[in-house]
Amino acid sequence: MPLPAAAAAALHSSLCFSSPKQTPQPSISQQPNIQLSVKSKSLLHKHPLYTPAHSNISFEIKEKILCLEIMGVDSGKALSQNPSLHTASLDSIQSIIFFLQSKGIHQKDLPRIFGMCPKVLTSNIRTDLKPVFNFLSQDLKVPDNNFRKAINKCPRLLVSSVRDQLKPCLFYLQRLGFEDLEALAYQDPVLLVSNVENTLIPKLKYLQSIGFSRDEAVAMVLRCPALFTFSVENNFKPKFDYFAEEMKGKLTELKGFPQYFAFSLDKRIKPRHVEVVQSGVKIPLRLMLKSTDEEFGEMIRPGAG
């Protein structure tokens, strides 16, 4: 359930994080869909969670569920993926939200962040979250006003160990030749939360297994970092098999255009290859896949060759 604008504006005095300062009650016509200004207990008594079917759920859990739902977070998914939420206090969740906001994260960003990474809700600010922002600042040279950009691009940064994950991965990527810290922070931060031994290295080994040297494989991922995010079984293998067996392509074409693996096999590669074959026109791999439908149509029309 998305968080209403009025609810977002009133969150600090809401069900979850009610302020000790008393504020005037709005009139019925002024109240949002979820009346955040009334006390949480009264609100809960009127909420469906308080039906007899849910009588076995404690007030604290009901309060937490409603809090998550008001923020726009799927409470069932969050509690399932992060069982620690069952015992977390609302005060601790409040502290985490305030900390993230102090780092430039906006209220409207929280549903997606918590939805993707509910473990953030029970993180330790001192030992878990602060080191991540220090890493962004010191290792990736991200200025404070751009923390939000990096975190929104990859919320998993917030649940990654700096010592065991982020720093070792950055070291490995830099050894390969990834020198653009800005690109790693804002475009490809997902690489930093990838496992070096189980995710990154196997991609390079696969490229070597189909005939590329290690240097060529490294050059390909530097040119197209997204290669590190593709599945060997579900992406590389079927696309390479089609390239080699049906398209009769050469490795030099892939070396020059590794972005081939980023295109959909069924929606782009196969249909365009079929049209090229039927037209009898020779078209470089890059143009065949990157051109717009209009440009592609012009290239394969009769007489274009």
Side-chain angles (χ1 to χ4, degrees):
M1 177 178 69
L3 182 66
L11 189 63
H12 292 301
S13 60
S14 71
L15 161 75
C16 308
F17 314 129
S18 57
S19 169
K21 181 179 179 181
Q22 297 296 318
T23 55
Q25 296 293 317
S27 65
I28 296 298
S29 61
Q30 293 174 321
Q31 292 177 6
N33 293 334
I34 298 179
Q35 301 174 18
L36 297 178
S37 57
V38 296
K39 294 193 176 191
S40 58
K41 200 159 188 175
S42 300
L43 203 165
L44 280 170
H45 284 155
K46 299 175 183 179
H47 195 273
L49 285 171
Y50 250 94
T51 61
H54 298 90
S55 59
N56 60 327
I57 302 177
S58 70
F59 169 76
E60 288 75 15
I61 292 294
K62 292 176 180 178
E63 186 180 41
K64 209 170 301 177
I65 290 173
L66 191 50
C67 168
L68 293 171
E69 294 292 339
I70 285 176
M71 286 195 295
V73 179
D74 183 334
S75 60
K77 179 181 176 182
L79 288 163
S80 173
Q81 293 185 355
N82 184 8
S84 297
L85 265 175
H86 286 86
T87 55
S89 69
L90 287 179
D91 283 343
S92 67
I93 295 175
Q94 173 187 16
S95 297
I96 288 169
I97 290 177
F98 287 171
F99 174 77
L100 293 177
Q101 290 177 327
S102 76
K103 295 298 183 181
I105 308 301
H106 292 184
Q107 181 68 47
K108 63 182 180 181
D109 304 327
L110 298 179
R112 178 172 174 270
I113 291 173
F114 295 152
M116 291 179 65
C117 305
K119 286 187 177 180
V120 177
L121 288 162
T122 54
S123 296
N124 183 294
I125 293 175
R126 183 181 63 83
T127 61
D128 298 329
L129 297 181
K130 282 186 177 180
V132 171
F133 287 97
N134 289 339
F135 171 80
L136 291 176
S137 177
Q138 297 168 14
D139 295 86
L140 291 184
K141 310 304 179 187
V142 175
D144 292 3
N145 61 349
N146 275 344
F147 284 156
R148 178 178 181 243
K149 185 176 180 181
I151 295 300
N152 277 337
K153 184 68 175 178
C154 184
R156 285 172 56 197
L157 287 168
L158 293 173
V159 292
S160 298
S161 166
V162 171
R163 185 191 67 181
D164 300 330
Q165 172 62 49
L166 299 180
K167 284 196 173 185
C169 199
L170 176 60
F171 178 71
Y172 175 76
L173 292 170
Q174 288 180 316
R175 283 184 60 191
L176 288 182
F178 284 85
E179 299 176 351
D180 190 343
L181 295 178
E182 188 171 313
L184 278 176
Y186 307 134
Q187 297 173 29
D188 306 301
V190 67
L191 299 184
L192 295 168
V193 300
S194 302
N195 185 283
V196 172
E197 293 184 356
N198 297 327
T199 302
L200 303 184
I201 292 178
K203 310 298 171 61
L204 288 179
K205 286 186 174 180
Y206 175 77
L207 291 174
Q208 291 175 257
S209 74
I210 61 177
F212 295 106
S213 68
R214 187 179 187 281
D215 287 345
E216 288 172 333
V218 169
M220 289 172 71
V221 297
L222 288 175
R223 189 168 183 175
C224 181
L227 293 181
F228 268 145
T229 69
F230 299 150
S231 164
V232 170
E233 294 297 326
N234 299 324
N235 187 306
F236 282 119
K237 286 185 176 180
K239 289 179 183 177
F240 180 74
D241 287 346
Y242 186 83
F243 177 80
E245 296 170 12
E246 301 296 328
M247 298 174 66
K248 309 299 180 186
K250 298 178 180 179
L251 288 180
T252 52
E253 294 178 88
L254 292 181
K255 185 170 71 171
F257 187 61
Q259 294 89 340
Y260 164 82
F261 292 103
F263 290 90
S264 168
L265 181 59
D266 294 324
K267 295 180 180 179
R268 191 75 158 192
I269 298 172
K270 285 183 178 181
R272 286 209 168 179
H273 172 246
V274 169
E275 289 190 69
V276 166
V277 171
Q278 292 174 344
S279 72
V281 177
K282 296 285 186 180
I283 300 177
L285 186 64
R286 177 193 299 272
L287 290 179
M288 184 184 86
L289 296 177
K290 290 191 70 174
S291 58
T292 65
D293 289 341
E294 183 178 353
E295 292 168 340
F296 180 72
E298 283 295 313
M299 287 188 284
I300 63 172
R301 67 180 174 78

